[in-house]
Amino acid sequence: MVAFAPFSNDACPSGWRELDQAKGYVIVGTDDPANVGRKFGAPIEDRSAPLHDHNFHTALQFDRATTTFLEGDAQAVRIMAAPLRAGDSASKYVHTIAGHSSTEDGGVPYAQYRICEEIEPWRERLLPADTVQWFNGATCPENWQIYKPAIGDSRGRTIVPLPEDASRNDAALEVSTGRDVHKAHDHSIDVSLTSRSPEKGLASLDLVGFSSLTYSNTFHPIHHAANIDTIDPFMTGSSRRRDVETGRGIDRIYPVPFMYLAPCRKIAGTKQIDLSPLAGFGFFTAGLYCEDGFQEIPDGRGRYLVGLPPARPGQPEPLNGALFGGDPLKSGKLPLHRHSVSLPAKIPEITVAAPWTILFKMAGLRRKEFSEPVNLVGTTEESSVGLPYVQLRFCSVKSTN
């Protein structure tokens, strides 16, 4: 049997050993013996919520125009180029922009607890019926069976201690993300082009169509972009961990790292008088309340439980029981987050000399005394990086002191 030890300061109690491979990992349920013990992603560091961003790309489609500029005045105007290359559309100009979103922690709330495993298993016999616990083995022990709500239909769920605002009937509520735990989350986003003026600050870039012109003398035709026809709506690409410096590439695509164990529920048991061998540990129950002799653990409610992260050379010892990351979850809710996007558009530009006041009356074409960088900006819709979960009461043996 495997159990979190919220009250253990220095080591697992006698008869238990720390499950080293679970350090820095959230536990997720599986009923596939081949998966038990498998880990995905790089471990969480002490009191540090994992960070991630997304790649993306979008296409800006402009109407194409050709304007003939007159030689003459030295005053410069700035327009956006749209070179006409072989095979290009004569009426449209497409400019692709690619990059990465802002880096965020996903708003996931965590509690880091030492996670221990029995050296000689026998203590599960002391636990009452309806206890749900993790096991590091191919099968559940006698009088226990696989607890399906901790597996679900997404190749695994974790167990979250019942949130503070949960009603009695919210116990054992299953919360799904709607996707496989091995599938990356994404966001939808709308973007726009802006220019930043030292005088006016951030403003939308007014890229409107050009009116007709009257010419005389010598002419110079230039292909350029006129009004924006469309900005492709897009979804962000796959996420990647930004707090991971080394490791396999696959380690970087799991924003919440997890390890598979078998979730088992006790289906039969007799009332025990001496519960002292279970002291110091947390146990989940599928029942509405903690059983007689047990009390609910207040810390960690509405948080993803992660094995106490590994110690790092030169760093303080990880703190057992530390709470970090986002605010605790509300009952039945997932942690949500957004990303922002702000990238240089790097649209080709042409600066031309033109007689400004006499011959050119062009809506949207303005003389520039300085260069205003053009950026692609936007904010994503909310999405969740959290793992699916079932919410259960998290109980410990009552103190006799």
Side-chain angles (χ1 to χ4, degrees):
M1 181 171 62
V2 171
F4 288 101
F7 314 109
S8 173
N9 292 326
D10 301 318
C12 292
S14 176
W16 300 74
R17 62 186 168 215
E18 196 155 0
L19 188 62
D20 288 339
Q21 63 264 46
K23 290 185 175 184
Y25 288 89
V26 175
I27 305 302
V28 165
T30 181
D31 57 359
D32 182 351
N35 277 336
V36 173
R38 293 186 66 190
K39 299 185 294 185
F40 297 88
I44 293 173
E45 297 295 326
D46 181 33
R47 288 169 281 182
S48 298
L51 304 174
H52 75 281
D53 67 6
H54 294 263
N55 57 44
F56 71 92
H57 75 277
T58 190
L60 311 180
Q61 182 168 272
F62 298 89
D63 289 333
R64 187 188 293 280
T66 300
T67 299
T68 300
F69 289 92
L70 177 68
E71 285 187 4
D73 196 285
Q75 297 289 355
V77 293
R78 177 186 178 203
I79 64 174
M80 291 168 38
L84 187 59
R85 299 171 292 249
D88 283 356
S89 167
S91 61
K92 302 294 182 184
Y93 171 67
V94 177
H95 179 71
T96 299
I97 299 175
H100 289 90
S101 72
S102 62
T103 298
E104 308 294 340
D105 65 12
V108 181
Y110 295 97
Q112 60 183 40
Y113 293 140
R114 195 179 309 279
I115 187 165
C116 305
E117 182 178 27
E118 283 187 288
I119 296 173
E120 294 183 4
W122 56 270
R123 293 165 182 82
E124 74 272 2
R125 298 196 296 270
L126 303 178
L127 289 164
D130 279 338
T131 297
V132 177
Q133 210 59 24
W134 299 114
F135 286 83
N136 189 17
T139 60
C140 296
E142 185 180 359
N143 293 324
W144 294 69
Q145 66 182 17
I146 285 290
Y147 183 58
K148 290 291 186 179
I151 299 171
D153 56 3
S154 54
R155 294 173 68 190
R157 289 185 183 140
T158 190
I159 302 175
V160 166
L162 194 69
E164 197 78 43
D165 69 330
S167 68
R168 183 186 69 170
N169 293 331
D170 285 345
L173 181 66
E174 300 172 38
V175 183
S176 174
T177 61
R179 66 175 184 275
D180 190 299
V181 294
H182 296 283
K183 298 292 185 182
H185 75 288
D186 54 21
H187 302 256
S188 61
I189 182 172
D190 290 322
V191 292
S192 61
L193 287 176
T194 64
S195 61
R196 181 174 292 278
S197 164
E199 297 175 351
K200 299 179 180 179
L202 192 65
S204 295
L205 188 63
D206 183 21
L207 295 172
V208 297
F210 295 92
S211 60
S212 60
L213 304 175
T214 302
Y215 310 110
S216 63
N217 302 327
T218 306
F219 305 112
H220 294 273
I222 296 178
H223 301 293
H224 63 88
N227 58 294
I228 293 181
D229 181 58
T230 59
I231 300 179
D232 286 353
F234 65 93
M235 302 291 290
T236 59
S238 60
S239 61
R240 60 173 184 167
R241 286 275 293 274
R242 298 297 294 179
D243 58 320
V244 178
E245 299 295 336
T246 59
R248 300 172 303 158
I250 194 172
D251 289 339
R252 306 193 69 164
I253 66 174
Y254 286 91
V256 179
F258 64 88
M259 173 180 169
Y260 276 128
L261 290 178
C264 299
R265 176 181 182 175
K266 194 167 186 181
I267 56 176
T270 57
K271 186 175 180 63
Q272 300 292 325
I273 297 176
D274 183 14
L275 298 174
S276 59
L278 304 175
F281 293 100
F283 302 96
F284 298 103
T285 178
L288 297 179
Y289 302 103
C290 295
E291 295 290 333
D292 290 343
F294 292 81
Q295 61 188 3
E296 194 158 7
I297 300 171
D299 295 335
R301 297 187 70 171
R303 293 180 177 272
Y304 287 74
L305 304 188
V306 58
L308 188 67
R312 300 300 186 195
Q315 299 295 319
E317 195 70 20
L319 180 63
N320 193 44
L323 310 178
F324 61 99
D327 294 331
L329 300 175
K330 300 296 185 181
S331 180
K333 301 299 183 181
L334 289 163
L336 299 173
H337 69 288
R338 300 177 187 266
H339 294 266
S340 61
V341 168
S342 180
L343 280 180
K346 297 181 180 178
I347 299 173
E349 295 178 13
I350 303 172
T351 300
V352 299
W356 178 258
T357 58
I358 301 174
L359 297 179
F360 292 86
K361 296 179 181 179
M362 304 166 66
L365 183 62
R366 302 181 300 276
R367 185 172 63 195
K368 303 296 180 185
E369 304 296 339
F370 45 81
S371 178
E372 298 175 358
V374 178
N375 290 326
L376 181 79
V377 299
T379 301
T380 68
E381 296 297 322
E382 289 183 321
S383 184
S384 181
V385 74
L387 296 167
Y389 65 90
V390 57
Q391 54 186 45
L392 300 178
R393 292 195 186 277
F394 192 41
C395 311
S396 65
V397 173
K398 288 182 179 179
S399 174
T400 57
N401 296 334

